[in-house]
Amino acid sequence: MSIFEPTEGTLVVVPSLSLPQDELRRITAARSYEERLLFLLLTLREPRVKVIYVSSAPIDPDIIDYYFAFLPDPDDAAKRLTLISLDNPWSQPLTRNLLDRPDILEQLRSAIDGDALLVPFVLSEREEELASLLGVPLYGPATSLSYYGSKSGAREVGHEAGVPMARGFADVRSALQIEEALEALPGERVIVKLNDGYSGLGNAIVTKADRSLTSFSAEGEDWESFTTKISERGAVVEEFIEHRPLYYPSALAQITPGGDTQVLATHDQVLGGPNGHVYQGCTFPAAPEYRAEVGDSAARIARVLAERGVTGLFGMDFFALKADAGYAALLCEINLRIGGTTHPFGAAVLTTGASYDPATGLLMSGNQAKFYTATDNCASGCLRGRTPGEVMRTAERLGVGFDPERRTGNVFHLLGAIPEYGKLGFTSIGDSREEADELHSLTRRLLCGP
């Protein structure tokens, strides 16, 4: 069963943010990121598909109605959707709380009918325990293979796949190892990345000559707290690539339980934050200058991971730079989980019916290529206090909704973050790179201000 194109069965969606909670607290409206996987409601267009969606807090009915509006028969889809809430928005992560609620577990078990697949946002030992209790297979790699999703594990896989990487050292933990790595690497600066960091929040750029000039991606971090995390979690130390211009493409891939590999998409990431390393959004596809190189490297990495027993959906981040013989793509990290580019890709595929052409790296809906630009970080004080329904009606009135005939327009997400934080995300789909970018810019101006 593919989560993007199931034809039957039940998707049991448990979008728990089973990640280091100290880093997660740095993300505005982090709990609302449980809604990233609501694009899976669009799979209910298939009459033999059911979805069970678990969340920490009840999901606003207007948000559900918003996704149902994309479907040919919303009333029938509603009969095949089960929403289960723990009514506990203040404690994270979701799966930990779910395992402590036998009443909810029984409700969830009773809702599962026939073949089912448990779809977690992140797969940890808690999700494995949940799957075992429910008797449902997991969509994702076993936690015994999680090392390959760490920064150090990615370097091991990259070496085996023959994919270029920045020079560096893996599995660094002690102060001595850090100093030795700093001395051995060229340049005035290096980058240190926590093994289990995500969204760029576990990164630091270190100036060799003056440690006080270290620039941390996460606010409130200092060298003492950062080195404590290194000793506990491990890290990689790599040369800082000074080459400019430098681009930040990524690839999305999946591996079936049978070991078949498929690259689903390439993207250019939009990054921000103090170091320019924090994920903000993406554009599809990656630029044509290095798109093929990224796709080829991703395919080689996927084959190595498949040989090691990895299954499910995962992402890979790269650096791209111009070399003498063209563009080079350097592996940056592997994320063995659903990531920031998953929901834009899912939204685009499920609303346009497009499929990925590996030969060109494009999404094709019939004879028409589809392009998109997505963000998780559209925020404005004027949105705070409004309801998701109000904002969606405003978007339609302003002409930045979705056109089902042309299969272009916006697909919104993170709508539950609007009332408290004035924050939302959206994927702008167009028939050209220019159309997608122009719609995205227009939507930002209309809803979030300049």
Tab-separated table of all heavy atoms in Angstrom, residues 311-368:
chain	number	residue	atom	x	y	z
A	311	THR	N	12.592	0.301	4.997
A	311	THR	CA	11.370	0.422	4.205
A	311	THR	C	10.693	1.741	4.541
A	311	THR	O	11.006	2.382	5.543
A	311	THR	CB	10.375	-0.731	4.486
A	311	THR	OG1	10.007	-0.689	5.881
A	311	THR	CG2	10.996	-2.079	4.168
A	312	GLY	N	9.759	2.150	3.692
A	312	GLY	CA	8.980	3.347	3.959
A	312	GLY	C	9.472	4.562	3.206
A	312	GLY	O	10.234	4.470	2.236
A	313	LEU	N	9.022	5.715	3.674
A	313	LEU	CA	9.282	6.995	3.026
A	313	LEU	C	10.423	7.698	3.745
A	313	LEU	O	10.529	7.646	4.970
A	313	LEU	CB	8.018	7.848	3.090
A	313	LEU	CG	7.938	9.110	2.260
A	313	LEU	CD1	7.791	8.769	0.787
A	313	LEU	CD2	6.750	9.946	2.731
A	314	PHE	N	11.306	8.364	3.010
A	314	PHE	CA	12.399	9.087	3.653
A	314	PHE	C	12.902	10.188	2.725
A	314	PHE	O	12.622	10.196	1.524
A	314	PHE	CB	13.551	8.138	4.018
A	314	PHE	CG	14.185	7.443	2.853
A	314	PHE	CD1	15.357	7.911	2.295
A	314	PHE	CD2	13.601	6.306	2.304
A	314	PHE	CE1	15.940	7.270	1.209
A	314	PHE	CE2	14.177	5.660	1.228
A	314	PHE	CZ	15.344	6.135	0.677
A	315	GLY	N	13.654	11.125	3.317
A	315	GLY	CA	14.179	12.242	2.559
A	315	GLY	C	15.686	12.315	2.660
A	315	GLY	O	16.304	11.775	3.591
A	316	MET	N	16.312	12.984	1.701
A	316	MET	CA	17.752	13.199	1.666
A	316	MET	C	18.011	14.647	1.303
A	316	MET	O	17.412	15.163	0.360
A	316	MET	CB	18.403	12.287	0.617
A	316	MET	CG	18.300	10.805	0.918
A	316	MET	SD	18.261	9.785	-0.591
A	316	MET	CE	16.521	9.924	-1.058
A	317	ASP	N	18.889	15.289	2.054
A	317	ASP	CA	19.256	16.678	1.778
A	317	ASP	C	20.650	16.725	1.164
A	317	ASP	O	21.540	15.953	1.540
A	317	ASP	CB	19.243	17.507	3.066
A	317	ASP	CG	17.848	17.630	3.656
A	317	ASP	OD1	16.867	17.346	2.944
A	317	ASP	OD2	17.751	18.002	4.843
A	318	PHE	N	20.828	17.674	0.234
A	318	PHE	CA	22.091	17.806	-0.480
A	318	PHE	C	22.550	19.260	-0.498
A	318	PHE	O	21.759	20.184	-0.280
A	318	PHE	CB	21.938	17.334	-1.937
A	318	PHE	CG	21.615	15.870	-2.092
A	318	PHE	CD1	20.300	15.417	-2.029
A	318	PHE	CD2	22.622	14.945	-2.323
A	318	PHE	CE1	20.003	14.071	-2.179
A	318	PHE	CE2	22.335	13.604	-2.482
A	318	PHE	CZ	21.024	13.159	-2.410
A	319	PHE	N	23.827	19.441	-0.779
A	319	PHE	CA	24.346	20.718	-1.250
A	319	PHE	C	24.552	20.575	-2.754
A	319	PHE	O	24.954	19.517	-3.230
A	319	PHE	CB	25.702	21.044	-0.619
A	319	PHE	CG	25.680	21.219	0.868
A	319	PHE	CD1	26.432	20.390	1.683
A	319	PHE	CD2	24.937	22.225	1.453
A	319	PHE	CE1	26.432	20.549	3.056
A	319	PHE	CE2	24.926	22.389	2.821
A	319	PHE	CZ	25.676	21.551	3.636
A	320	ALA	N	24.321	21.624	-3.510
A	320	ALA	CA	24.612	21.615	-4.939
A	320	ALA	C	25.467	22.838	-5.265
A	320	ALA	O	25.173	23.951	-4.811
A	320	ALA	CB	23.334	21.631	-5.773
A	321	LEU	N	26.520	22.607	-6.003
A	321	LEU	CA	27.409	23.706	-6.377
A	321	LEU	C	27.986	23.441	-7.758
A	321	LEU	O	28.051	22.301	-8.220
A	321	LEU	CB	28.513	23.883	-5.343
A	321	LEU	CG	29.321	22.635	-4.933
A	321	LEU	CD1	30.498	22.413	-5.853
A	321	LEU	CD2	29.798	22.780	-3.492
A	322	LYS	N	28.394	24.508	-8.412
A	322	LYS	CA	28.945	24.390	-9.765
A	322	LYS	C	30.408	23.997	-9.687
A	322	LYS	O	31.200	24.623	-8.986
A	322	LYS	CB	28.787	25.700	-10.541
A	322	LYS	CG	29.002	25.529	-12.046
A	322	LYS	CD	28.663	26.785	-12.793
A	322	LYS	CE	28.636	26.558	-14.295
A	322	LYS	NZ	29.725	25.725	-14.816
A	323	ALA	N	30.721	22.908	-10.377
A	323	ALA	CA	32.100	22.433	-10.462
A	323	ALA	C	32.593	22.600	-11.893
A	323	ALA	O	31.865	23.062	-12.776
A	323	ALA	CB	32.161	20.964	-10.032
A	324	ASP	N	33.833	22.200	-12.138
A	324	ASP	CA	34.419	22.363	-13.472
A	324	ASP	C	33.639	21.597	-14.536
A	324	ASP	O	33.479	22.064	-15.661
A	324	ASP	CB	35.879	21.886	-13.463
A	324	ASP	CG	36.757	22.786	-12.611
A	324	ASP	OD1	36.354	23.945	-12.399
A	324	ASP	OD2	37.819	22.330	-12.161
A	325	ALA	N	33.138	20.415	-14.170
A	325	ALA	CA	32.460	19.562	-15.149
A	325	ALA	C	30.940	19.663	-15.056
A	325	ALA	O	30.222	18.771	-15.504
A	325	ALA	CB	32.894	18.113	-14.957
A	326	GLY	N	30.446	20.736	-14.477
A	326	GLY	CA	29.001	20.885	-14.320
A	326	GLY	C	28.655	21.085	-12.861
A	326	GLY	O	29.454	21.630	-12.098
A	327	TYR	N	27.475	20.622	-12.446
A	327	TYR	CA	27.050	20.781	-11.057
A	327	TYR	C	27.295	19.493	-10.281
A	327	TYR	O	27.071	18.392	-10.784
A	327	TYR	CB	25.576	21.160	-10.974
A	327	TYR	CG	25.342	22.630	-11.200
A	327	TYR	CD1	25.303	23.145	-12.488
A	327	TYR	CD2	25.186	23.505	-10.133
A	327	TYR	CE1	25.099	24.498	-12.708
A	327	TYR	CE2	24.975	24.863	-10.341
A	327	TYR	CZ	24.930	25.355	-11.622
A	327	TYR	OH	24.751	26.699	-11.833
A	328	ALA	N	27.747	19.637	-9.034
A	328	ALA	CA	27.954	18.495	-8.148
A	328	ALA	C	26.915	18.539	-7.037
A	328	ALA	O	26.535	19.621	-6.570
A	328	ALA	CB	29.364	18.536	-7.553
A	329	ALA	N	26.453	17.361	-6.624
A	329	ALA	CA	25.512	17.242	-5.511
A	329	ALA	C	26.199	16.484	-4.383
A	329	ALA	O	26.650	15.354	-4.565
A	329	ALA	CB	24.244	16.514	-5.955
A	330	LEU	N	26.298	17.110	-3.215
A	330	LEU	CA	26.945	16.513	-2.057
A	330	LEU	C	25.889	16.148	-1.022
A	330	LEU	O	25.063	16.989	-0.646
A	330	LEU	CB	27.948	17.481	-1.423
A	330	LEU	CG	29.333	17.639	-2.046
A	330	LEU	CD1	29.245	18.179	-3.474
A	330	LEU	CD2	30.197	18.568	-1.189
A	331	LEU	N	25.906	14.894	-0.568
A	331	LEU	CA	24.947	14.464	0.444
A	331	LEU	C	25.185	15.220	1.742
A	331	LEU	O	26.314	15.318	2.228
A	331	LEU	CB	25.073	12.959	0.688
A	331	LEU	CG	24.182	12.389	1.807
A	331	LEU	CD1	22.712	12.524	1.453
A	331	LEU	CD2	24.550	10.936	2.096
A	332	CYS	N	24.108	15.758	2.307
A	332	CYS	CA	24.172	16.476	3.572
A	332	CYS	C	23.640	15.613	4.719
A	332	CYS	O	24.276	15.474	5.759
A	332	CYS	CB	23.374	17.769	3.456
A	332	CYS	SG	23.312	18.758	4.945
A	333	GLU	N	22.463	15.011	4.537
A	333	GLU	CA	21.887	14.155	5.577
A	333	GLU	C	20.775	13.303	5.004
A	333	GLU	O	20.259	13.557	3.910
A	333	GLU	CB	21.356	14.984	6.742
A	333	GLU	CG	20.212	15.925	6.383
A	333	GLU	CD	19.811	16.814	7.553
A	333	GLU	OE1	20.692	17.539	8.046
A	333	GLU	OE2	18.642	16.754	7.963
A	334	ILE	N	20.415	12.255	5.747
A	334	ILE	CA	19.305	11.365	5.415
A	334	ILE	C	18.303	11.438	6.560
A	334	ILE	O	18.678	11.334	7.728
A	334	ILE	CB	19.783	9.908	5.227
A	334	ILE	CG1	20.780	9.813	4.067
A	334	ILE	CG2	18.595	8.979	4.988
A	334	ILE	CD1	21.439	8.455	3.950
A	335	ASN	N	17.040	11.624	6.244
A	335	ASN	CA	15.973	11.673	7.249
A	335	ASN	C	15.052	10.479	7.037
A	335	ASN	O	14.237	10.482	6.111
A	335	ASN	CB	15.193	12.982	7.139
A	335	ASN	CG	16.069	14.193	7.417
A	335	ASN	OD1	16.656	14.305	8.484
A	335	ASN	ND2	16.180	15.090	6.445
A	336	LEU	N	15.192	9.463	7.890
A	336	LEU	CA	14.359	8.261	7.754
A	336	LEU	C	13.008	8.494	8.414
A	336	LEU	O	12.649	7.875	9.414
A	336	LEU	CB	15.065	7.055	8.392
A	336	LEU	CG	16.314	6.540	7.688
A	336	LEU	CD1	16.818	5.276	8.368
A	336	LEU	CD2	16.041	6.263	6.218
A	337	ARG	N	12.244	9.388	7.828
A	337	ARG	CA	10.924	9.736	8.361
A	337	ARG	C	10.208	10.586	7.333
A	337	ARG	O	10.789	11.016	6.334
A	337	ARG	CB	11.063	10.520	9.669
A	337	ARG	CG	11.904	11.773	9.530
A	337	ARG	CD	11.965	12.568	10.819
A	337	ARG	NE	12.905	13.669	10.752
A	337	ARG	CZ	12.679	14.848	10.207
A	337	ARG	NH1	11.494	15.083	9.639
A	337	ARG	NH2	13.593	15.795	10.204
A	338	ILE	N	8.946	10.817	7.594
A	338	ILE	CA	8.194	11.790	6.813
A	338	ILE	C	8.735	13.174	7.148
A	338	ILE	O	8.916	13.515	8.315
A	338	ILE	CB	6.700	11.673	7.136
A	338	ILE	CG1	6.140	10.375	6.516
A	338	ILE	CG2	5.925	12.885	6.656
A	338	ILE	CD1	4.716	10.072	6.890
A	339	GLY	N	9.040	13.957	6.129
A	339	GLY	CA	9.687	15.242	6.352
A	339	GLY	C	8.903	16.419	5.818
A	339	GLY	O	7.720	16.301	5.451
A	340	GLY	N	9.582	17.554	5.726
A	340	GLY	CA	8.914	18.793	5.347
A	340	GLY	C	8.431	18.850	3.918
A	340	GLY	O	7.539	19.644	3.597
A	341	THR	N	9.016	18.031	3.026
A	341	THR	CA	8.567	18.052	1.633
A	341	THR	C	7.470	17.035	1.352
A	341	THR	O	6.904	17.024	0.257
A	341	THR	CB	9.748	17.770	0.677
A	341	THR	OG1	10.272	16.461	0.933
A	341	THR	CG2	10.851	18.796	0.853
A	342	THR	N	7.148	16.201	2.345
A	342	THR	CA	6.170	15.125	2.113
A	342	THR	C	4.771	15.663	1.893
A	342	THR	O	4.072	15.259	0.955
A	342	THR	CB	6.161	14.138	3.293
A	342	THR	OG1	7.479	13.661	3.536
A	342	THR	CG2	5.239	12.961	2.989
A	343	HIS	N	4.323	16.566	2.756
A	343	HIS	CA	2.944	17.035	2.624
A	343	HIS	C	2.740	17.922	1.391
A	343	HIS	O	1.688	17.820	0.754
A	343	HIS	CB	2.452	17.722	3.905
A	343	HIS	CG	3.328	18.805	4.419
A	343	HIS	ND1	4.518	18.568	5.055
A	343	HIS	CD2	3.198	20.145	4.395
A	343	HIS	CE1	5.073	19.705	5.405
A	343	HIS	NE2	4.295	20.685	5.012
A	344	PRO	N	3.705	18.764	0.975
A	344	PRO	CA	3.499	19.466	-0.302
A	344	PRO	C	3.411	18.501	-1.484
A	344	PRO	O	2.562	18.675	-2.368
A	344	PRO	CB	4.727	20.372	-0.412
A	344	PRO	CG	5.184	20.571	0.978
A	344	PRO	CD	4.904	19.280	1.678
A	345	PHE	N	4.285	17.495	-1.490
A	345	PHE	CA	4.238	16.506	-2.565
A	345	PHE	C	2.902	15.766	-2.552
A	345	PHE	O	2.252	15.610	-3.598
A	345	PHE	CB	5.391	15.513	-2.419
A	345	PHE	CG	5.337	14.362	-3.390
A	345	PHE	CD1	5.735	14.529	-4.710
A	345	PHE	CD2	4.879	13.111	-2.992
A	345	PHE	CE1	5.670	13.467	-5.609
A	345	PHE	CE2	4.816	12.055	-3.879
A	345	PHE	CZ	5.208	12.233	-5.198
A	346	GLY	N	2.485	15.313	-1.367
A	346	GLY	CA	1.210	14.597	-1.270
A	346	GLY	C	0.039	15.456	-1.690
A	346	GLY	O	-0.870	14.988	-2.395
A	347	ALA	N	0.035	16.722	-1.268
A	347	ALA	CA	-1.051	17.629	-1.649
A	347	ALA	C	-1.099	17.815	-3.154
A	347	ALA	O	-2.172	17.798	-3.774
A	347	ALA	CB	-0.881	18.970	-0.945
A	348	ALA	N	0.068	17.985	-3.789
A	348	ALA	CA	0.113	18.200	-5.238
A	348	ALA	C	-0.339	16.966	-6.003
A	348	ALA	O	-1.124	17.058	-6.956
A	348	ALA	CB	1.524	18.600	-5.657
A	349	VAL	N	0.139	15.811	-5.587
A	349	VAL	CA	-0.205	14.566	-6.293
A	349	VAL	C	-1.689	14.248	-6.149
A	349	VAL	O	-2.361	13.871	-7.123
A	349	VAL	CB	0.659	13.407	-5.758
A	349	VAL	CG1	0.130	12.069	-6.244
A	349	VAL	CG2	2.106	13.576	-6.201
A	350	LEU	N	-2.222	14.394	-4.937
A	350	LEU	CA	-3.596	13.979	-4.681
A	350	LEU	C	-4.628	14.971	-5.196
A	350	LEU	O	-5.799	14.622	-5.357
A	350	LEU	CB	-3.790	13.735	-3.184
A	350	LEU	CG	-3.087	12.483	-2.652
A	350	LEU	CD1	-3.074	12.465	-1.129
A	350	LEU	CD2	-3.767	11.223	-3.172
A	351	THR	N	-4.235	16.215	-5.448
A	351	THR	CA	-5.191	17.182	-6.002
A	351	THR	C	-5.121	17.264	-7.524
A	351	THR	O	-6.101	17.639	-8.173
A	351	THR	CB	-4.974	18.591	-5.424
A	351	THR	OG1	-3.618	18.989	-5.645
A	351	THR	CG2	-5.282	18.615	-3.936
A	352	THR	N	-3.975	16.936	-8.108
A	352	THR	CA	-3.820	17.067	-9.567
A	352	THR	C	-3.836	15.727	-10.284
A	352	THR	O	-3.967	15.687	-11.511
A	352	THR	CB	-2.499	17.776	-9.911
A	352	THR	OG1	-1.396	16.926	-9.540
A	352	THR	CG2	-2.381	19.108	-9.181
A	353	GLY	N	-3.646	14.622	-9.525
A	353	GLY	CA	-3.566	13.313	-10.165
A	353	GLY	C	-2.268	13.114	-10.923
A	353	GLY	O	-2.161	12.202	-11.763
A	354	ALA	N	-1.275	13.941	-10.649
A	354	ALA	CA	-0.009	13.878	-11.381
A	354	ALA	C	0.843	12.712	-10.896
A	354	ALA	O	0.678	12.218	-9.781
A	354	ALA	CB	0.765	15.184	-11.215
A	355	SER	N	1.768	12.278	-11.729
A	355	SER	CA	2.715	11.235	-11.373
A	355	SER	C	4.119	11.693	-11.760
A	355	SER	O	4.305	12.466	-12.705
A	355	SER	CB	2.379	9.908	-12.058
A	355	SER	OG	2.349	10.066	-13.464
A	356	TYR	N	5.108	11.196	-11.038
A	356	TYR	CA	6.491	11.632	-11.218
A	356	TYR	C	7.135	10.897	-12.387
A	356	TYR	O	7.045	9.675	-12.503
A	356	TYR	CB	7.274	11.353	-9.941
A	356	TYR	CG	8.719	11.814	-9.973
A	356	TYR	CD1	9.037	13.165	-9.978
A	356	TYR	CD2	9.755	10.883	-9.973
A	356	TYR	CE1	10.364	13.591	-9.985
A	356	TYR	CE2	11.089	11.295	-9.971
A	356	TYR	CZ	11.377	12.653	-9.981
A	356	TYR	OH	12.691	13.063	-9.987
A	357	ASP	N	7.775	11.664	-13.261
A	357	ASP	CA	8.513	11.110	-14.399
A	357	ASP	C	10.001	11.174	-14.070
A	357	ASP	O	10.608	12.244	-14.111
A	357	ASP	CB	8.210	11.923	-15.662
A	357	ASP	CG	8.977	11.418	-16.881
A	357	ASP	OD1	9.664	10.378	-16.768
A	357	ASP	OD2	8.906	12.063	-17.943
A	358	PRO	N	10.622	10.032	-13.727
A	358	PRO	CA	12.029	10.070	-13.337
A	358	PRO	C	12.961	10.508	-14.455
A	358	PRO	O	14.058	11.014	-14.190
A	358	PRO	CB	12.314	8.623	-12.903
A	358	PRO	CG	11.250	7.798	-13.546
A	358	PRO	CD	10.053	8.681	-13.646
A	359	ALA	N	12.541	10.356	-15.694
A	359	ALA	CA	13.396	10.748	-16.821
A	359	ALA	C	13.584	12.259	-16.888
A	359	ALA	O	14.666	12.758	-17.218
A	359	ALA	CB	12.814	10.234	-18.129
A	360	THR	N	12.531	12.999	-16.567
A	360	THR	CA	12.601	14.462	-16.621
A	360	THR	C	12.634	15.112	-15.238
A	360	THR	O	12.948	16.291	-15.108
A	360	THR	CB	11.393	15.027	-17.391
A	360	THR	OG1	10.185	14.673	-16.688
A	360	THR	CG2	11.341	14.458	-18.804
A	361	GLY	N	12.263	14.336	-14.206
A	361	GLY	CA	12.173	14.899	-12.870
A	361	GLY	C	10.968	15.778	-12.668
A	361	GLY	O	10.922	16.582	-11.726
A	362	LEU	N	9.938	15.632	-13.525
A	362	LEU	CA	8.744	16.470	-13.450
A	362	LEU	C	7.538	15.666	-12.986
A	362	LEU	O	7.484	14.440	-13.143
A	362	LEU	CB	8.449	17.085	-14.819
A	362	LEU	CG	9.502	18.025	-15.397
A	362	LEU	CD1	9.128	18.423	-16.823
A	362	LEU	CD2	9.653	19.271	-14.523
A	363	LEU	N	6.561	16.369	-12.425
A	363	LEU	CA	5.251	15.789	-12.146
A	363	LEU	C	4.363	16.044	-13.345
A	363	LEU	O	4.175	17.192	-13.748
A	363	LEU	CB	4.615	16.427	-10.905
A	363	LEU	CG	4.959	15.869	-9.531
A	363	LEU	CD1	4.255	16.682	-8.453
A	363	LEU	CD2	4.578	14.396	-9.404
A	364	MET	N	3.800	14.981	-13.905
A	364	MET	CA	2.993	15.117	-15.103
A	364	MET	C	1.535	14.752	-14.813
A	364	MET	O	1.252	13.670	-14.310
A	364	MET	CB	3.542	14.225	-16.217
A	364	MET	CG	4.990	14.527	-16.611
A	364	MET	SD	5.242	16.225	-17.194
A	364	MET	CE	4.167	16.233	-18.651
A	365	SER	N	0.642	15.675	-15.114
A	365	SER	CA	-0.796	15.435	-15.048
A	365	SER	C	-1.286	15.388	-16.489
A	365	SER	O	-1.524	16.427	-17.116
A	365	SER	CB	-1.493	16.556	-14.268
A	365	SER	OG	-2.888	16.349	-14.222
A	366	GLY	N	-1.376	14.173	-17.036
A	366	GLY	CA	-1.599	14.052	-18.475
A	366	GLY	C	-0.366	14.564	-19.204
A	366	GLY	O	0.748	14.113	-18.951
A	367	ASN	N	-0.566	15.520	-20.103
A	367	ASN	CA	0.565	16.115	-20.826
A	367	ASN	C	1.055	17.413	-20.206
A	367	ASN	O	1.904	18.089	-20.772
A	367	ASN	CB	0.161	16.375	-22.288
A	367	ASN	CG	-0.115	15.092	-23.049
A	367	ASN	OD1	0.583	14.098	-22.846
A	367	ASN	ND2	-1.119	15.118	-23.919
A	368	GLN	N	0.483	17.757	-19.031
A	368	GLN	CA	0.812	19.032	-18.404
A	368	GLN	C	1.717	18.826	-17.191
A	368	GLN	O	1.375	18.085	-16.268
A	368	GLN	CB	-0.466	19.752	-17.969
A	368	GLN	CG	-0.245	21.056	-17.225
A	368	GLN	CD	0.489	22.081	-18.071
A	368	GLN	OE1	0.027	22.445	-19.152
A	368	GLN	NE2	1.636	22.557	-17.586
